[in-house]
Amino acid sequence: MMLMVMARPMMRGWYTSIYSNLLFHSSPAKQAFVPSSSSLSNRPKASSYLGSQSKSLIMSQSASAAAAAVGGGGDHEIPRFERPRYVAKRVLAESQKEGEGANVRRSIGRPELRNLDPFLLLDEFSVSPPAGFPDHPHRGFETVTYMLEGAFTHQDFAGHKGTISTGDVQWMTAGRGIIHSEMPAREGVQKGLQLWINLSSKDKMVEPRYQELLSKNISMAEKDGVEVQIIAGEAFGVQSPVYTRTPTMFLDFTMKPGAQLQQPIPDSWNSFVYIIEGEGIFGGEDSTPVTSHHCLVLSPGDGMRVWNKSAKQLRFVLIAGQPLNEPVVQYGPFVMNTQAEIRQAMEDYHYGRNGFEKARHWKSEPLLH
Ligand code: FJE
Ligand code: FE
């Protein structure tokens, strides 16, 4: 069956031409990384007053007040995690071509950073028309697109069409199948982040779904020189309304010079930071400052500490997710658990079945050019 499918000319050219950088790979279920020994060196033990409940409220007024009360003074306002997370790995996302003439800085998904379960890919994209990501399919995971500057228009084979602008988020559950185009909505450079989150085997074939979050509706919290956009999960006691099938935290922090931060992260989740702007100190106060376009994989632990000791503002996203611990077999835009399921996805896409029915006669409308 595989040979028959492969031998026929495929109806759309994503795998032969435009999407050459994300081809086949597979990996068994395993832990995403082993923390470096330095990341688990003797660190100060947590003060016992911070139970797991109060930790989730660490930066809220009430929690820091409670901490100060129990700890006996202002010095204790800075909570300590029982097992603070440190930087286990640092990767620079260098620019490469993707889609049709688009530039992406890939961090998660590059060869040295493949399996950060449940995350498959993080691209910081920078695209000017006529470049973009023309008609292509997805199956088996979610894509989260977060605009940093400008606007992108999305059109899909079910007639969905929408434009997201600076600060807006599109959270798309591709599930059993989506075919769409993602193209710049205006002239000039359009920038954003796209994250791919794997779905568990039970969710891979769910009906596709969109959650569009406009910037004005994204929860924001602020304290002591730290501002956070809460795209998914919780920070400073404020919760995002987004439903994540794979439990995920997605926070966009901006820290003023001199600010510091303690952010709880569920213990068993994998987590990373991607720096958008400025320079920050992550994990340990003495660690090397890290600048934009770097991805930091964090060691296991219950929270992360950050310092902005620079003279400029620091902006980064903190992303964490519950690992699925399932085998991953990926062929470009199809991410399944087995080879057989990948063959099935290619066949379904080719013949327009099992979720790809609308593929048969669909083509996106041209936008600007
Ligand atoms: C894709 C290669 C791709 N990063 N960032 C292979 F480029 C893509 C793809 C994107 C993408 C789209 C946006 Cl809007 C932003 C991106 C890759 O479309 F889906 C496959 N399979
Ligand atoms: Fe896509």
Side-chain angles (χ1 to χ4, degrees):
M1 187 53 83
M2 176 74 171
L3 276 178
M4 188 187 82
V5 172
M6 295 293 284
R8 284 165 173 260
M10 288 280 209
M11 56 189 192
R12 286 169 196 81
W14 58 268
Y15 82 104
T16 49
S17 57
I18 59 171
Y19 295 137
S20 53
N21 293 329
L22 266 176
L23 278 174
F24 187 80
H25 76 271
S26 85
S27 56
K30 59 175 176 165
Q31 282 304 108
F33 60 86
V34 180
S36 64
S37 52
S38 67
S39 68
L40 292 176
S41 57
N42 290 334
R43 309 307 303 197
K45 271 280 164 201
S47 334
S48 52
Y49 62 78
L50 285 171
S52 58
Q53 260 198 327
S54 58
K55 264 182 282 186
S56 64
L57 292 168
I58 247 157
M59 290 294 287
S60 73
Q61 295 283 359
S62 58
S64 53
V70 179
D75 286 350
H76 294 270
E77 274 195 22
I78 302 164
R80 296 206 178 269
F81 295 117
E82 214 160 298
R83 288 200 311 146
R85 291 181 182 244
Y86 292 93
V87 175
K89 187 167 182 168
R90 184 183 73 209
V91 173
L92 173 63
E94 285 175 276
S95 198
Q96 62 185 72
K97 290 282 179 206
E98 257 306 358
E100 223 164 65
N103 294 307
V104 302
R105 288 179 177 270
R106 179 157 303 153
S107 45
I108 312 295
R110 59 188 306 119
E112 62 268 39
L113 208 47
R114 274 248 191 264
N115 299 297
L116 194 61
D117 188 10
F119 304 109
L120 301 162
L121 175 139
L122 179 72
D123 279 355
E124 179 186 2
F125 58 92
S126 179
V127 184
S128 307
F133 305 92
D135 307 5
H136 61 277
H138 294 281
R139 174 181 279 182
F141 58 100
E142 302 187 293
T143 67
V144 180
T145 309
Y146 183 34
M147 289 308 297
L148 297 176
E149 185 186 317
F152 244 66
T153 296
H154 154 274
Q155 299 176 52
D156 86 358
F157 69 164
H160 295 116
K161 185 172 176 177
T163 299
I164 51 170
S165 310
T166 308
D168 299 341
V169 176
Q170 186 207 55
W171 197 290
M172 180 184 92
T173 306
R176 64 205 297 251
I178 282 280
I179 301 179
H180 69 172
S181 72
E182 296 155 286
M183 302 296 284
R186 303 175 192 153
E187 298 297 339
V189 189
Q190 322 293 314
K191 293 184 182 178
L193 298 176
Q194 188 169 90
L195 174 71
W196 291 10
I197 309 172
N198 204 1
L199 285 166
S200 69
S201 55
K202 71 173 181 358
D203 287 334
K204 282 187 178 295
M205 294 298 279
V206 295
E207 279 301 311
R209 172 179 177 191
Y210 294 95
Q211 297 173 86
E212 204 170 273
L213 267 182
L214 297 183
S215 169
K216 63 177 198 288
N217 298 325
I218 293 175
S219 309
M220 195 264 272
E222 197 172 5
K223 188 177 189 292
D224 296 341
V226 182
E227 189 187 303
V228 58
Q229 307 292 323
I230 303 148
I231 293 159
E234 182 186 320
F236 299 177
V238 178
Q239 183 94 40
S240 158
V242 163
Y243 175 66
T244 65
R245 281 194 178 266
T246 303
T248 306
M249 166 185 273
F250 190 137
L251 304 171
D252 172 8
F253 285 102
T254 302
M255 295 176 65
K256 293 206 169 103
Q260 54 177 288
L261 162 72
Q262 291 74 225
Q263 173 60 40
I265 302 169
D267 230 303
S268 59
W269 292 17
N270 288 325
S271 65
F272 67 93
V273 159
Y274 185 79
I275 295 117
I276 297 169
E277 179 194 332
E279 182 184 288
I281 294 170
F282 295 84
E285 195 164 3
D286 302 327
S287 63
T288 319
V290 189
T291 53
S292 55
H293 314 303
H294 282 89
C295 181
L296 308 176
V297 178
L298 304 179
S299 67
D302 55 357
M304 179 191 61
R305 305 176 68 193
V306 186
W307 295 261
N308 181 1
K309 296 190 179 182
S310 80
K312 293 188 181 146
Q313 81 169 11
L314 163 67
R315 186 178 180 194
F316 63 92
V317 290
L318 168 63
I319 296 173
Q322 187 171 59
L324 299 169
N325 293 312
E326 291 178 6
V328 178
V329 185
Q330 173 167 8
Y331 185 78
F334 305 136
V335 183
M336 303 301 289
N337 299 114
T338 66
Q339 287 272 3
E341 289 165 348
I342 287 292
R343 278 197 294 275
Q344 185 69 51
M346 293 168 73
E347 204 181 301
D348 290 345
Y349 175 57
H350 182 72
Y351 291 108
R353 293 178 187 151
N354 291 322
F356 287 115
E357 286 78 2
K358 296 187 181 107
R360 292 182 195 155
H361 306 291
W362 181 80
K363 219 168 135 313
S364 60
E365 298 291 330
L367 275 180
L368 296 170
H369 291 264

